[in-house]
């Protein structure tokens, strides 16, 4: 299943993902590798740099017993530099993997990739649009700290206009009945 937006997951799917993450968190303390994804391969297609997200996906795949490959600067280190489209890139790289994780500087680019791909695509951040996997990490932390996601009171500060992580998190928290307080930097208010 592709995850381009946090809206691609129902609330019950989000809770199930967080429950499984808690189980993995416990299991990985005693077994550093869980062979759940043996013979599966992830390809990370990053059009812009991101150390934490890029290497987090790689490490997660390794710890789940799968294989990984990827490119961190597709803009200059692939045929994109010669004008290759997202559609052509997706069609090429999906021949090498079972799932693609994609990061791109333009809003909606992962949605475009999903239209041309035949396998699941995970959005690791697209422009100022969304970053649903970071939202899942944030929800995991909130649930661990508060024991629930229901009815939390959360303050979101800083660049609320361009912050894709804030956009996904806002959508998700509202679905769980959160009261949100926004404290943007000047001129950096949350878009309508």
């Amino acid at each position: 299943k592709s995850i381009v937006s946090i809206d691609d997951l129902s609330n019950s799917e989000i809770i199930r993902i967080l429950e499984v993450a808690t189980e993995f968190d416990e299991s990985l303390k005693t077994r550093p590798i869980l062979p759940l994804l043996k013979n599966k391969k992830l390809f990370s297609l990053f059009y812009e740099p991101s150390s934490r997200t890029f290497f987090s996906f790689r490490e997660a795949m390794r710890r789940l017993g799968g294989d990984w490959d990827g490119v961190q600067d597709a803009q200059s280190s692939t045929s994109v530099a010669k004008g290759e489209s997202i559609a052509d890139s997706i069609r090429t790289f999906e021949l090498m993997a079972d799932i693609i994780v994609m990061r791109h500087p333009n809003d909606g680019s992962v949605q475009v990739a999903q239209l041309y791909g035949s396998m699941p695509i995970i959005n690791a951040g697209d422009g100022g649009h969304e970053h649903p996997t970071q939202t899942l990490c944030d929800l995991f932390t909130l649930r661990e700290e508060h024991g629930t996601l229901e009815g939390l009171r959360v303050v979101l500060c800083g660049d609320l206009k361009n912050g894709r992580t804030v956009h996904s998190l806002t959508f998700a928290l509202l679905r769980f009945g959160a009261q949100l307080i926004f404290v943007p930097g000047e001129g950096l208010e949350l878009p309508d």
Side-chain angles (χ1 to χ4, degrees):
K1 175 178 182 168
S2 290
I3 303 174
V4 175
S5 167
I6 197 66
D7 287 338
D8 291 330
L9 299 169
S10 68
N11 286 11
S12 61
E13 288 173 318
I14 290 171
I15 294 300
R16 183 65 188 133
I17 288 169
L18 300 181
E19 290 169 349
V20 169
T22 300
E23 292 169 17
F24 284 167
D25 196 36
E26 289 302 314
S27 295
L28 289 168
K29 290 177 184 173
T30 56
R31 292 181 60 198
I33 306 276
L34 302 173
L36 299 171
L37 296 178
K38 187 177 179 180
N39 300 320
K40 298 294 182 187
K41 187 172 184 178
L42 173 134
F43 191 89
S44 293
L45 180 58
F46 278 47
Y47 288 80
E48 63 180 2
S50 170
S51 300
R52 287 181 299 275
T53 304
F54 186 81
F55 290 106
S56 292
F57 273 102
R58 183 178 83 173
E59 183 62 10
M61 196 65 179
R62 186 189 71 78
R63 287 186 184 204
L64 294 173
D67 194 9
W68 171 91
D69 201 352
V71 59
Q72 190 163 8
D73 188 15
Q75 295 282 61
S76 62
S77 64
T78 70
S79 292
V80 171
K82 298 185 287 185
E84 182 175 81
S85 69
I86 289 175
D88 288 337
S89 293
I90 290 298
R91 288 181 187 127
T92 299
F93 290 118
E94 76 177 1
L95 297 172
M96 303 171 197
D98 299 291
I99 187 167
I100 292 176
V101 174
M102 183 175 159
R103 173 171 246 172
H104 199 283
N106 296 334
D107 294 5
S109 54
V110 181
Q111 291 166 317
V112 170
Q114 184 185 24
L115 293 174
Y116 292 98
S118 62
M119 68 174 46
I121 297 179
I122 305 295
N123 183 354
D126 64 329
H129 179 235
E130 282 197 56
H131 193 331
T133 56
Q134 179 62 55
T135 291
L136 291 170
C137 291
D138 294 340
L139 294 175
F140 178 83
T141 301
L142 286 167
R143 189 169 181 261
E144 290 289 302
E145 289 295 316
H146 299 283
T148 185
L149 293 177
E150 299 292 333
L152 297 176
R153 186 172 183 204
V154 180
V155 177
L156 298 170
C157 306
D159 183 354
L160 307 182
K161 179 179 180 181
N162 303 301
R164 57 187 165 210
T165 57
V166 171
H167 299 164
S168 293
L169 186 58
T170 296
F171 295 144
L173 287 171
L174 288 173
R175 287 174 34 195
F176 285 98
Q179 177 188 2
L180 300 179
I181 300 164
F182 300 110
V183 184
E186 188 174 333
L188 299 173
E189 293 80 13
L190 194 69
D192 289 339

